[in-house]
Amino acid sequence: VRDQATKSLSRILSHSPSIISGLITNFNNCNDPYLVERLYAAIYGAIFNIKSNQWIKDIASSVFNNVFENGCPYPNILIRDYARGIIEFAHVKGQIALDINISLIRPPYKSDWPIENPSLEEIEHIVDDNYSAIKNSMMGYIGDFGKYTMSCIHKWSPTPLSEKNPETSYEIHLKFAGTLPNDLKDRYINHLNKKVQRNNSDFNINEFLISNIETKENLVDKSDGKQKIDDWEDLKKQIQAILDNKQKEFFRWVSGLGFNNRPATFSRKWAQRWVCKRAYELGWKSSLFEKFERIHAVNDSRKPATIERIGKKYQWIAFHELLARMSDNLHWIDRGYTDVDDSMFWGPWQISKRDIDPTFWIRETGDSEWDERVDSFWWRPYKFPFVDDDIEKQKSWMNDKTIIPNFNDILETTNPFDNKRWMALRGFSKWSKEPEKDKTIIPTQDAWFRINSCFVKKKDFSKFKKNVIGKNLCDPHILMPISTGHQGFLKEYPWHPIYKDMSDWTDPDKDNYSQSLINIKHIKPINQYDWEIGNEDKSIKQTISLYLPSKYLIDEFNLSLAPFEYGLWVKSDGSPVFFDPSSNSKGPSFALIQSELLKNWLERNDLQLVWLVGGEKQLYTNMASKFYGRLVYSGCYTFSNDNIDGEMWFIEEPGYNED
């Protein structure tokens, strides 16, 4: 209900922008962050469909004044994300008031730190019932929330941003060693150094200490290297014997860091205890909610509950607050990605904590994903013919090289509703016919094809073609569109910071490109929006996947998503240029672009459109117990002289387990 209501509110606000500022004023300081979070989510979803620039400007100002102006936005990682997105969108459109300091809407923000480190004894004192679902979810043996949902805690270091670099595990161990009595300290340091040297052969401890922590010279292992390393379990017992409970918990975390020179990670146990305590502080009480949860929110399976515990709401509020405070105050651990900038925390998409896309309102597209489509559609005017349940006829069908699609009729088609010609830049279709009986003997007839495309310089086309002719082009990763990463919102594409690292040209010689089949510089014209149906999002019925024009094409044609549309991209005058028909019609997802516009653009830029198609026909019995073979067909097509030209080739694969 919450997810559907969020999008319903977003629809209403898109038609009634005049009430948005009033809602912000009335509810921004509401003491239920769950409500405030979704208010800003709904506003964010609405603003993309508001035509008046003045309303967009006024809404952005209202959001800034209530969330960011004082420099300390409310510590909730999703409230901040939605509020920031509203202002970023207004900024992109040039609708920002002059008094708005844009740097204040971007992380890192300011919030209180350090956080409390409650003990287990404190948690036991707070919990007011014998069995606490909150405590068990956070800290129990089967607590998925504490174990898996909160696993992103390890992407932060415990080191404050006031320090230049995040502390390494080795440095944390040294700090702890400095608190021990001399005998235990020396043995601990000896053990630590031997472990680090064993695990990191290229790591010189002495040089590290001299250059980084000169004040700890007395902690350097002075042994001659022949001293026997202490038994770790025995040493741990002796150390634990002199520690109080709080120190034991710290030692437990230190011990779990490992012995290396990588950045230390924040303690998940600490985070679990903090979130558990905070959930109770926010107001959860067994006298208020336990009876309801016991009756209505029981879930004995691993699948997400249809009705969540109210306590889960409190856990999410507390967790999102913790993530906000950590992102404000602690070093983010750079994961060393080569394709994106991961040097700091930019937003909750980096930890996959966006739970709903408020900019996408329909519950499913017209594409049934892997379900077979027996019909033909104007953008895919073909359906595979099948034969009777006779093995010999079926083998003849499979091996017949004339029974394949005529791609000249598919790569460019006419929309009967506007009589315009459209080119297919990408698409996939699958057909299947099961036998009516004897499924262990009579095979299923299965067929499919995939269309890929790219742009290359005309002078490079002959080299391109020479490398692909005769190759199997069925691999889905050939010219695979760049995905929005399962966390980018549809209407954030491509202006939002989440897409700042997207490139235009792919250069195999410079980009460490592993796909050797495409050996020249090229442009992929298609990207792809993906939003998975999962544990949190209950606003959609299926995983959503739509094709998008590449960022390069959007810039070249000055495209934007049409208001209240999800697959239609238009120019500034509203004329359609690109669309995925599955966004509003039953049928397979295809990437279509208006032919005449593309032809003229290609000619002006001395570019060649190249299609690579690949598909299969195959026969297999129930549970694939018998495989009768496969015919692989591939082709390379181009557009020139107002015609589509190309050639096909075939690879025959024998069957196995035949009688």
Side-chain angles (χ1 to χ4, degrees), residues 308-402:
E308 278 194 333
R309 291 180 294 105
I310 296 176
K312 183 70 76 68
K313 161 187 171 176
Y314 287 86
Q315 291 172 213
W316 278 115
I317 295 173
F319 183 42
H320 288 154
E321 178 180 343
L322 174 64
L323 291 173
R325 294 188 185 279
M326 293 180 68
S327 65
D328 293 346
N329 296 283
L330 300 180
H331 274 281
W332 172 259
I333 299 176
D334 189 340
R335 290 165 286 187
Y337 296 149
T338 58
D339 56 339
V340 296
D341 182 0
D342 194 51
S343 60
M344 64 172 283
F345 181 75
W346 305 102
W349 55 86
Q350 287 170 281
I351 52 174
S352 300
K353 286 298 175 279
R354 285 177 152 190
D355 53 12
I356 183 176
D357 180 353
T359 75
F360 187 87
W361 297 342
I362 58 178
R363 300 185 185 183
E364 58 186 334
T365 67
D367 192 323
S368 59
E369 297 179 302
W370 282 93
D371 292 342
E372 294 76 19
R373 287 292 184 184
V374 296
D375 300 322
S376 62
F377 304 89
W378 71 259
W379 63 91
R380 203 270 331 263
Y382 181 82
K383 61 179 181 179
F384 250 100
F386 294 111
V387 296
D388 297 336
D389 292 351
D390 178 272
I391 293 179
E392 293 307 316
K393 288 183 179 180
Q394 291 175 338
K395 288 181 178 180
S396 177
W397 166 86
M398 180 183 67
N399 292 316
D400 191 334
K401 296 176 182 177
T402 65

Side-chain angles (χ1 to χ4, degrees), residues 61 128 166 195 251 330 493 497:
S61 293
D128 63 347
K195 279 282 191 180
F251 181 46
L330 300 180
Y493 176 80

Side-chain angles (χ1 to χ4, degrees), residues 117-361:
N117 189 355
S119 66
L120 286 172
E121 290 76 16
E122 289 180 77
I123 300 297
E124 294 294 342
H125 180 73
I126 293 170
V127 173
D128 63 347
D129 54 345
N130 293 328
Y131 175 80
S132 167
I134 292 177
K135 178 186 173 185
N136 193 58
S137 174
M138 298 302 308
M139 303 158 61
Y141 290 109
I142 57 172
D144 283 3
F145 194 97
K147 286 182 181 179
Y148 305 115
T149 303
M150 292 185 63
S151 61
C152 62
I153 290 295
H154 291 322
K155 294 176 182 177
W156 276 276
S157 160
T159 309
L161 287 171
S162 57
E163 300 292 331
K164 183 178 180 181
N165 296 306
E167 290 181 293
T168 66
S169 299
Y170 181 77
E171 290 173 302
I172 299 289
H173 276 288
L174 285 180
K175 274 188 176 181
F176 176 73
T179 68
L180 298 175
N182 286 336
D183 178 57
L184 288 177
K185 178 181 70 176
D186 293 341
R187 291 167 60 194
Y188 190 93
I189 294 297
N190 179 60
H191 181 92
L192 169 64
N193 290 346
K194 293 294 195 303
K195 279 282 191 180
V196 172
Q197 287 174 327
R198 182 180 299 170
N199 297 338
N200 304 273
S201 59
D202 59 344
F203 180 52
N204 188 305
I205 294 171
N206 293 335
E207 287 183 5
F208 176 84
L209 287 167
I210 292 170
S211 62
N212 291 279
I213 42 177
E214 294 177 355
T215 59
K216 294 186 174 61
E217 288 180 356
N218 62 313
L219 297 181
V220 181
D221 178 26
K222 308 295 188 188
S223 69
D224 60 3
K226 297 179 181 179
Q227 183 178 346
K228 182 180 179 182
I229 193 168
D230 267 301
D231 177 75
W232 178 235
E233 293 303 320
D234 181 62
L235 181 57
K236 279 205 305 184
K237 289 178 182 179
Q238 293 183 51
I239 293 173
Q240 288 169 338
I242 65 169
L243 304 179
D244 60 27
N245 287 340
K246 190 171 184 179
Q247 292 170 331
K248 286 179 180 177
E249 170 55 26
F250 183 76
F251 181 46
R252 180 207 62 77
W253 168 66
V254 172
S255 301
L257 292 175
F259 302 95
N260 55 65
N261 62 321
R262 294 188 294 272
T265 58
F266 195 85
S267 169
R268 183 163 43 173
K269 291 289 186 182
W270 179 359
Q272 290 170 348
R273 293 192 301 272
W274 190 91
V275 170
C276 184
K277 182 179 181 181
R278 185 72 176 125
Y280 278 90
E281 290 175 344
L282 288 166
W284 192 95
K285 295 180 180 179
S286 59
S287 59
L288 293 176
F289 307 119
E290 185 180 31
K291 183 178 179 181
F292 173 87
E293 291 187 356
R294 190 184 305 117
I295 296 173
H296 298 290
V298 176
N299 182 33
D300 296 326
S301 72
R302 300 291 296 185
K303 295 181 180 180
T306 304
I307 300 177
E308 278 194 333
R309 291 180 294 105
I310 296 176
K312 183 70 76 68
K313 161 187 171 176
Y314 287 86
Q315 291 172 213
W316 278 115
I317 295 173
F319 183 42
H320 288 154
E321 178 180 343
L322 174 64
L323 291 173
R325 294 188 185 279
M326 293 180 68
S327 65
D328 293 346
N329 296 283
L330 300 180
H331 274 281
W332 172 259
I333 299 176
D334 189 340
R335 290 165 286 187
Y337 296 149
T338 58
D339 56 339
V340 296
D341 182 0
D342 194 51
S343 60
M344 64 172 283
F345 181 75
W346 305 102
W349 55 86
Q350 287 170 281
I351 52 174
S352 300
K353 286 298 175 279
R354 285 177 152 190
D355 53 12
I356 183 176
D357 180 353
T359 75
F360 187 87
W361 297 342

Side-chain angles (χ1 to χ4, degrees), residues 554 558-562 568-572:
I554 290 173
N558 191 23
L559 302 181
S560 60
L561 263 177
L568 176 62
W569 293 79
V570 298
K571 294 197 294 185
S572 56

Side-chain angles (χ1 to χ4, degrees), residues 543-612:
T543 292
I544 304 297
S545 184
L546 289 171
Y547 290 124
L548 311 169
S550 70
K551 191 174 180 179
Y552 188 81
L553 284 182
I554 290 173
D555 292 339
E556 288 290 307
F557 289 101
N558 191 23
L559 302 181
S560 60
L561 263 177
F564 302 100
E565 293 283 351
Y566 307 100
L568 176 62
W569 293 79
V570 298
K571 294 197 294 185
S572 56
D573 62 3
S575 58
V577 174
F578 178 102
F579 80 113
D580 184 334
S582 71
S583 64
N584 57 20
S585 302
K586 289 292 184 183
S589 178
F590 265 52
L592 304 178
I593 190 166
Q594 197 177 109
S595 295
E596 196 62 34
L597 287 173
L598 181 63
K599 294 173 188 176
N600 294 334
W601 177 80
L602 290 170
E603 189 62 32
R604 289 196 306 271
N605 290 276
D606 198 34
L607 294 174
Q608 178 72 61
L609 167 62
V610 184
W611 287 283
L612 299 182

